[in-house]
Amino acid sequence: MSTLRFRWLALVGVLAGLAGWLANWLATRNGYGTPTLPLTSLVTTAVILGITLVFGRRVLRWRNGNRDRPLDPILATRTLVLAQACAYAGALSLGWHAGILVDQVALLAVRSTTAPLWGSVALMVGGILMIVVGLVVESFCRLPPDDDGTGAPGSIEGEYA
């Protein structure tokens, strides 16, 4: 399995930002509300981050030598996939709400409230946290260069647990 590429994360973020800006531009100019997630979605984001960190911590403990019982390879693979999905979802959320924020800043002069602005900022912070946790947990799943997962010395560089 390949590692996360910053270029792909950036591309997802930029495309989502353009889509978010366009969706907000169309919605606000046609009398609809701002197409942001509700702030309660930050609770779901926190739960996802917590689950990702718990599974990542299990893999990290095994990787750092706590091998009193074998690590389930399916669990390790699912943890890696969860970490990468978390990072991509964070890039998507960050980009979408950044695009909305850009359009909302332009509307500050005609708006009576700044609630959509602060909501977008809060959800952008949630997206940044998802990217960071995804990258950190992905690094937890990486085997050291001299470890092949069996405890014997090896030379598998960049392999995942």
Side-chain angles (χ1 to χ4, degrees):
M1 186 171 269
S2 63
T3 61
L4 283 170
R5 304 275 190 249
F6 290 109
R7 287 184 185 138
W8 283 108
L9 287 174
L11 180 66
V12 166
V14 167
L15 291 176
L18 290 172
W21 176 83
L22 181 63
N24 189 62
W25 186 84
L26 289 170
T28 55
R29 271 76 177 176
N30 290 312
Y32 296 106
T34 306
T36 61
L37 291 172
L39 287 177
T40 55
S41 66
L42 290 173
V43 174
T44 305
T45 301
V47 169
I48 291 169
L49 294 175
I51 290 169
T52 305
L53 285 170
V54 165
F55 285 132
R57 178 92 173 112
R58 288 177 66 184
V59 173
L60 179 66
R61 279 197 337 240
W62 181 85
R63 188 190 80 177
N64 288 342
N66 186 4
R67 298 184 181 171
D68 50 344
R69 54 189 179 137
L71 178 68
D72 181 14
I74 300 297
L75 173 75
T77 304
R78 287 180 179 164
T79 302
L80 176 63
V81 170
L82 177 63
Q84 291 182 350
C86 188
Y88 280 115
L92 186 66
S93 178
L94 174 63
W96 178 267
H97 291 98
I100 290 172
L101 179 73
V102 167
D103 193 47
Q104 290 295 315
V105 167
L107 296 174
L108 274 178
V110 295
R111 291 235 173 197
S112 61
T113 180
T114 59
L117 193 72
W118 293 112
S120 291
V121 170
L123 290 162
M124 286 170 58
V125 169
I128 291 169
L129 288 175
M130 288 182 80
I131 293 170
V132 169
V133 167
L135 292 170
V136 167
V137 171
E138 182 192 41
S139 73
F140 290 173
C141 295
R142 185 178 300 279
L143 288 174
D146 61 343
D147 192 354
D148 63 359
T150 62
S155 61
I156 301 175
E157 187 170 332
E159 287 288 318
Y160 290 107

